[in-house]
Amino acid sequence: MHITPSCFSPLLPPLNVIPKLLLPLLTVALCLTGCHPESTNPLSSPTASLFDDRLDGVYVQEDDGERTFWHFRHRVAPAKSSTAGEELAQLEVTAVNHAKNNGGLETRRFQALATRLGGRTYLSFIEISPGVPKPSPTFNFARYEVNWLGELRVWLASDDAFAQAVKAGQLKGKVTGSGSGSTVLLTDTTERLAAFVAAGDAKKLFGGKPVSLGRLPW
């Protein structure tokens, strides 16, 4: 099923997404580097997404003298144009970065959908920007875990792994450029994306060193 921005909650303002998500969730605010694939569809539809209340709360990430506070909160609302009683569980994320050297505050906002596939949990997310709305926003993917202390660990999708899948015909999409300058746009359906991730090697598709966020009492 092709998912469009209209699938998100009508109670929220329209999704104003930056023209190109060159700096997706966690790439800047969590000081990660490298490219990550984008997708025209999420890993699950809004009405089929996971309500993971373990994520709700406030987390802190420290890097090079700066602190970023991550606020995660679900918003549950009736799904638009769907079966009576059907709801969507949309995750709202706000990152507030306390810049060093009295650099003030920097704020970023995201909307995400949580998905459970093959016993693991994932996020499909987009960044919200006050800029000009984009008709078809693109999603970024991440795998996450919450440990018994409530700490959150996040792995972003591997550009190389998904590029190889597109080149091998396992997923529909487009790979532009080569090496560190390549970009990957996945255009496959939600169902095929989910099946590929569920059957794949999670450590290969979402590899590298995870970003760890410490949970704060609230």
Side-chain angles (χ1 to χ4, degrees):
M1 178 174 64
H2 184 78
I3 306 302
T4 64
S6 63
C7 295
F8 285 94
S9 171
L11 300 180
L12 299 181
L15 299 180
N16 299 327
V17 184
I18 55 177
K20 179 74 174 175
L21 288 179
L22 295 176
L23 303 175
L25 174 62
L26 306 175
T27 303
V28 171
L30 294 182
C31 304
L32 296 182
T33 60
C35 297
H36 304 281
E38 300 176 12
S39 175
T40 56
N41 288 306
L43 293 174
S44 61
S45 69
T47 54
S49 294
L50 174 68
F51 184 98
D52 192 350
D53 57 4
R54 300 177 303 164
L55 292 171
D56 285 338
V58 182
Y59 304 82
V60 63
Q61 186 264 341
E62 299 189 38
D63 186 85
D64 193 26
E66 295 187 349
R67 284 186 175 182
T68 301
F69 294 89
W70 290 86
H71 301 254
F72 286 72
R73 189 65 170 168
H74 281 89
R75 182 187 293 270
V76 178
K80 185 178 180 181
S81 302
S82 65
T83 305
E86 200 170 29
E87 294 182 331
L88 61 86
Q90 185 170 281
L91 186 64
E92 298 181 3
V93 182
T94 298
V96 182
N97 180 44
H98 293 236
K100 63 181 180 180
N101 300 323
N102 298 318
L105 299 176
E106 301 171 352
T107 303
R108 302 171 75 97
R109 294 183 60 225
F110 307 88
Q111 287 182 347
L113 299 171
T115 307
R116 187 183 301 280
L117 298 170
R120 300 181 185 272
T121 46
Y122 301 87
L123 292 174
S124 305
F125 56 88
I126 57 177
E127 182 170 1
I128 302 172
S129 169
V132 178
K134 184 179 178 182
S136 300
T138 50
F139 293 84
N140 289 94
F141 300 146
R143 178 169 69 89
Y144 72 92
E145 293 178 358
V146 181
N147 67 16
W148 66 277
L149 291 174
E151 297 169 338
L152 177 63
R153 294 198 300 169
V154 180
W155 295 260
L156 290 173
S158 166
D159 197 62
D160 289 340
F162 280 90
Q164 292 175 13
V166 171
K167 292 177 180 179
Q170 296 173 293
L171 289 174
K172 295 179 181 179
K174 182 178 181 181
V175 179
T176 304
S178 60
S180 59
S182 66
T183 59
V184 180
L185 177 63
L186 304 171
T187 58
D188 222 324
T189 65
T190 290
E191 290 82 2
R192 283 179 50 82
L193 288 167
F196 174 79
V197 170
D201 183 345
K203 292 183 179 180
K204 178 181 178 181
L205 297 177
F206 299 84
K209 184 179 180 180
V211 172
S212 297
L213 302 180
R215 189 179 184 91
L216 299 178
W218 73 306

